[in-house]
Amino acid sequence: MTGSRTRRPAALASAATAAALVLGAAPTATAAPAAPSTSTSTSLPAPRFLPTPPNTAYSLVWGLSRDGSVIGEYHPNVPGQSAPHAIRWHPDHLGYTTLAALPGDLSAHPSGINDTGTVIGASSRSLADNHPIRWAPDGTPTPLPLPAGVLGGNAQGINNAGVVVGGAYDYAYRSMPVKWQPDGTRVDLPPLPGDDAGDAVSVSDAGVIAGTSERRLADGHYKETPVLWSPSGAVSALPLPPGVDGARVVRMSHNGVVLGQGRRVGDGEYEFDRVLVWTPDGAVRDAGYGRARAVNSAGTAVGAAFDANRSTFAARWNRHGAQTLLDGPAGRQSEAMAVNSTGTAVGDVQGPDWNRTTALLWRPDGTAVPLPPSPLSPYAHASFINDAGVVAGIAVELDAAGEPVAARPVVWTR
C-alpha cells in the first residue's frame, strides 16, 4: 500500500526532471564506506556533442536505439518560450529531426524509440493537458486516440512491431492502462478484478505488456499490484516474493524480463525500495534494498543499493537476485542508469556536491572507468548504452559558484 497521491502528467514530470538536471538538485545523504578506486583504459569511447537548433538554451537526452539514434528535448533560449521541444538525432550523429507537437500545442516530449526509428511521447498544451503522440521515422506526428471524457494521456513504451502502451488519466489524474495497435487503434486494458486504475509501462516484442493495477482504498491510499497483459488483453498478477505486499513495474526488456520496485510489509507507506526481477517463466526474485533503473534480456538489473543512511552505491543484480556493488571512487555516491546485453553499464558518480557529477562506464566484471570529459566541462551524466557500446547523456557546464548554466547532449562512441 502506498500513500495517497495523484499522478503527474508527462509534461510536468519532464519539467521537474529538467529543473533537477539544469538547476541542480538536493544532494542525498553523505556517502558511507569507501568503494574501490576506478581504473583507466585507452579504448574508451570518445565524447561527441549532438547538434541542436539555433538559439537552444539547453537540451536533455531521453532515449537511445539499437542503431544509435538518440531522442531528447531542447529548450529555446527565447523569453516565454522555454517549454521543451522533441528532437531525434540521426544514427550518424551529424544531424537531427525536430519532432513537431500536435496543432495548437506548445511543446512535445519524447519517451521512447524502437528499432525502426518510430518515436513516442506526449504533445502538450499545458502542464496538465497532454496527448499521447507517435512520430513516424520521417518525423510525421500522429495523435494516439484517447477514451472519451478523459483529461489527457501518455505513451510510455513501444515495441519493434509498433505496438504502443501507456495510460489515459481523468480529471483527478487517475490513470487507466491503454494499448495502441500499429495502425493506431486504441485498446483499453482492464485492471485486475476489483481494481479501478492502472498504468501500462512496457511492451515486449512478443506483445506482452507489463504495468501496474491499482485499487483506491477507503483511507485514500492505494494498493498496487504488478501485472502482465497478454497480447489478447487478458490481465494477470505477477507473483510477489514472501514479505512483499505491493510493487510497481519499472520496465520490461524486449524479451519479457520485468524489473520492478517492491514494498516490504511494515516498511512504510512510500517505501518501494526492494528491487524485484521477474523472469519470462514467471519466477520472481527479491534482489534486495535499492533503486532499480534498467534491466537487460539476460535478467541483469542495474541501479543503486542503499545503505542505512540512504546513500546510494551503484549496483548490479543477476537474474537470481544476487547483488554486486560496482566499483567507484572512494567515498562517493554513485548510480548505474543503463545496461546493455553484454553487461556493460553506465551511470554517474557524485563529486563534492550534486552538480559535480562524473559519467562512468562499468565493464561486465564491475570495474569502473570514467568516460572521457567533453570540451564543455568535466561534468556529465551518462544515461543510456546500446549493444554497440554507444553511450548517450548530457554534459553540464557550471559557473564560478558551481551552479549549472548549460546542458548539452553528448554521445560517447568509438
Side-chain angles (χ1 to χ4, degrees):
M1 185 189 304
T2 72
S4 176
R5 82 269 185 261
T6 57
R7 294 186 176 275
R8 295 188 304 169
L12 183 57
S14 171
T17 304
L21 286 174
V22 177
L23 302 179
T28 50
T30 56
S37 61
T38 58
S39 67
T40 58
S41 171
T42 59
S43 60
L44 287 173
R48 180 177 184 179
F49 287 130
L50 297 174
T52 53
N55 208 23
T56 292
Y58 64 92
S59 188
L60 304 174
V61 167
W62 293 109
L64 172 67
S65 72
R66 185 169 59 181
D67 73 351
S69 296
V70 180
I71 57 171
E73 64 185 53
Y74 67 97
H75 294 245
N77 187 21
V78 179
Q81 299 183 29
S82 61
H85 297 262
I87 188 170
R88 183 181 67 229
W89 289 278
H90 304 159
D92 57 14
H93 305 124
L94 296 176
Y96 58 81
T97 299
T98 56
L99 303 174
L102 295 174
D105 286 356
L106 301 176
S107 65
H109 169 77
S111 57
I113 182 172
N114 69 7
D115 290 342
T116 72
T118 301
V119 180
I120 58 167
S123 180
S124 305
R125 192 157 297 183
S126 69
L127 290 179
D129 184 358
N130 299 280
H131 199 291
I133 187 172
R134 174 169 52 200
W135 290 277
D138 66 359
T140 303
T142 301
L144 296 171
L146 290 169
V150 302
L151 175 60
N154 58 80
Q156 298 197 74
I158 182 172
N159 68 9
N160 286 323
V163 175
V164 180
V165 298
Y169 54 87
D170 62 19
Y171 285 83
Y173 298 112
R174 185 186 65 166
S175 178
M176 292 300 295
V178 179
K179 173 176 75 171
W180 293 274
Q181 303 283 21
D183 65 1
T185 303
R186 189 190 82 244
V187 178
D188 297 331
L189 299 171
L192 291 171
D195 288 359
D196 56 5
D199 203 18
V201 175
S202 291
V203 55
S204 73
D205 282 346
V208 176
I209 300 166
T212 304
S213 181
E214 299 183 358
R215 179 182 309 175
R216 186 179 179 90
L217 304 178
D219 61 4
H221 298 151
Y222 288 80
K223 179 174 179 58
E224 295 177 291
T225 304
V227 296
L228 295 179
W229 287 275
S230 71
S232 66
V235 63
S236 59
L238 285 166
L240 296 176
V244 173
D245 70 351
R248 303 165 177 165
V249 167
V250 174
R251 64 184 67 243
M252 178 170 55
S253 69
H254 68 84
N255 66 335
V257 179
V258 179
L259 181 64
Q261 294 282 164
R263 173 192 177 275
R264 290 189 67 84
V265 175
D267 275 356
E269 292 178 351
Y270 300 97
E271 299 301 324
F272 279 75
D273 52 17
R274 306 294 298 190
V275 176
L276 306 180
V277 180
W278 290 268
T279 53
D281 62 5
V284 60
R285 301 288 186 271
D286 182 345
Y289 185 48
R291 180 167 57 225
R293 291 294 192 178
V295 64
N296 68 13
S297 56
T300 299
V302 297
F306 300 148
D307 68 8
N309 297 317
R310 303 290 293 188
S311 298
T312 59
F313 300 94
R316 180 179 63 217
W317 296 270
N318 68 19
R319 66 192 304 248
H320 304 295
Q323 181 192 92
T324 301
L325 291 179
L326 300 175
D327 192 12
R332 303 263 182 100
Q333 295 188 77
S334 59
E335 185 164 11
M337 301 299 294
V339 60
N340 67 12
S341 64
T342 71
T344 301
V346 295
D348 309 327
V349 60
Q350 186 177 317
D353 58 45
W354 176 264
N355 295 328
R356 291 175 172 84
T357 299
T358 301
L360 287 187
L361 178 145
W362 288 275
R363 297 192 181 100
D365 65 2
T367 302
V369 181
L371 287 166
S374 74
L376 186 66
S377 82
Y379 309 117
H381 300 266
S383 301
F384 302 95
I385 183 171
N386 67 11
D387 288 349
V390 176
V391 179
I394 60 169
V396 180
E397 182 181 12
L398 307 181
D399 62 17
E403 295 299 320
V405 293
R408 293 190 61 182
V410 63
V411 291
W412 288 266
T413 58
R414 288 187 173 83

